[in-house]
Amino acid sequence: MKLTKAARHEEILAQITQQPSLRVADLAGRLRVSTETIRRDLDELTDQGLVNRTYGGAVPMRGAEPSVGERHGLFVAERERIARAASARIKPGALVMIGSGATTTHVARRIAVEHKGLTVVTHSFSVATVLSLNPTITVLMAPGNYLASEGATVGVHAARFLHDFSADLAILGASGLTSEGATDARLEPAAIFSVLASRAAETLVVADRSKFDKVFPARYASWRELGALVCDQTPEGPLAETLRRHGVEVTVA
């Protein structure tokens, strides 16, 4: 079956997060389209700031995040402190939505230890896996296209599933935090994060200091839409001023 342009773009972005470079001829064969079609796809993705075009192919965008598996080994102590602080905000019996990411997986692991009787809706396999250690927590997993670099489902099916819920709290990570809001390095997870934020009474961002003042292509929410931030260091400069202006509650773990 021939893929749509949107599906091709999604597949190209998924592959480029797992390989150091992609070549036009290889992509054309894999996706069963002409090399001219792939060149146009890569040109469009380059114009959107999602890949860097090279002679004969493309490489990941400069500054793109490593895969979620690689990120799990970074800022471990900081993320554990963030996880404890985030878990403390969850009320008994709550329905919680959790997005994919290394920090959110730390939070999910802490939730599994500290809480009982919650319902958690997620699109992240790592989040679902660590929560499964607690049999009193009900985990609902969103269907969709599997994005290997994030270990999560994305796409229209995931979004439709998540739209059916109204959560007490959404817990989301971010690739970058600026005065404009929370951003992600990848387009597809960002689209899911937007849905999660829109379906929760309160949205909590969990992020270590390395995310401050970093800009990535896909903004999933402005600070008007985000209620709280748990981090490991006090934000400064324009970011701090924006957080104060919008009344975002900041907890430094």
Side-chain angles (χ1 to χ4, degrees):
M1 182 178 177
K2 191 173 182 179
L3 296 176
T4 64
K5 182 169 74 171
R8 290 197 310 273
H9 286 190
E10 186 170 306
E11 180 63 23
I12 291 168
L13 291 171
Q15 291 185 29
I16 207 164
T17 60
Q18 302 174 65
Q19 301 179 42
S21 64
L22 297 175
R23 298 197 56 80
V24 168
D26 294 338
L27 284 171
R30 202 171 302 161
L31 301 180
R32 300 181 182 180
V33 294
S34 68
T35 55
E36 290 77 11
T37 296
I38 293 297
R39 289 191 183 94
R40 287 195 296 270
D41 288 339
L42 294 179
D43 287 341
E44 288 185 28
L45 291 171
T46 299
D47 290 341
Q48 295 172 37
L50 299 174
V51 303
N52 281 330
R53 192 77 162 84
T54 63
Y55 180 78
V59 296
M61 182 189 67
R62 194 175 306 157
E65 276 197 320
S67 70
V68 70
E70 296 171 298
R71 301 199 308 271
H72 275 303
L74 304 174
F75 295 95
V76 173
E78 292 86 347
R79 284 170 171 162
E80 288 177 352
R81 295 199 301 270
I82 290 169
R84 290 190 190 96
S87 176
R89 300 179 64 92
I90 298 173
K91 297 177 181 178
L95 192 156
V96 183
M97 289 178 157
I98 304 180
S100 63
T103 306
T104 52
T105 300
H106 277 275
V107 176
R109 187 177 291 113
R110 179 55 52 179
I111 290 171
V113 172
E114 296 182 345
H115 293 273
K116 293 181 179 179
L118 300 179
T119 299
V120 177
V121 182
T122 187
H123 67 126
S124 165
F125 282 85
S126 62
V127 166
T129 298
V130 298
L131 288 172
S132 69
L133 300 175
N134 185 332
T136 75
I137 296 177
T138 300
V139 180
L140 302 177
M141 186 76 199
N145 300 328
Y146 181 64
L147 183 60
S149 61
E150 282 299 298
T153 55
V154 295
V156 64
H157 297 295
R160 285 176 179 167
F161 176 85
L162 296 169
H163 264 299
D164 287 339
F165 295 91
S166 295
D168 299 295
L169 179 69
I171 302 175
L172 304 174
S175 301
L177 300 176
T178 69
S179 58
E180 293 189 352
T183 63
D184 197 80
R186 298 172 177 87
L187 192 63
E188 300 93 336
I192 297 300
F193 298 162
S194 291
V195 175
L196 294 173
S198 72
R199 301 305 303 163
E202 181 185 13
T203 298
L204 172 66
V205 177
V206 290
D208 62 76
R209 63 188 180 276
S210 70
K211 310 302 176 64
F212 294 174
D213 303 313
K214 297 289 179 63
V215 180
F216 286 87
R219 187 182 74 168
Y220 69 78
S222 69
W223 291 112
R224 293 185 184 89
E225 304 164 276
L226 302 170
L229 168 66
V230 177
C231 51
D232 66 313
Q233 183 174 295
T234 303
E236 299 178 349
L239 174 57
E241 175 56 32
T242 301
L243 294 172
R244 283 193 295 269
R245 187 168 68 250
H246 291 294
V248 176
E249 182 183 347
V250 178
T251 300
V252 179

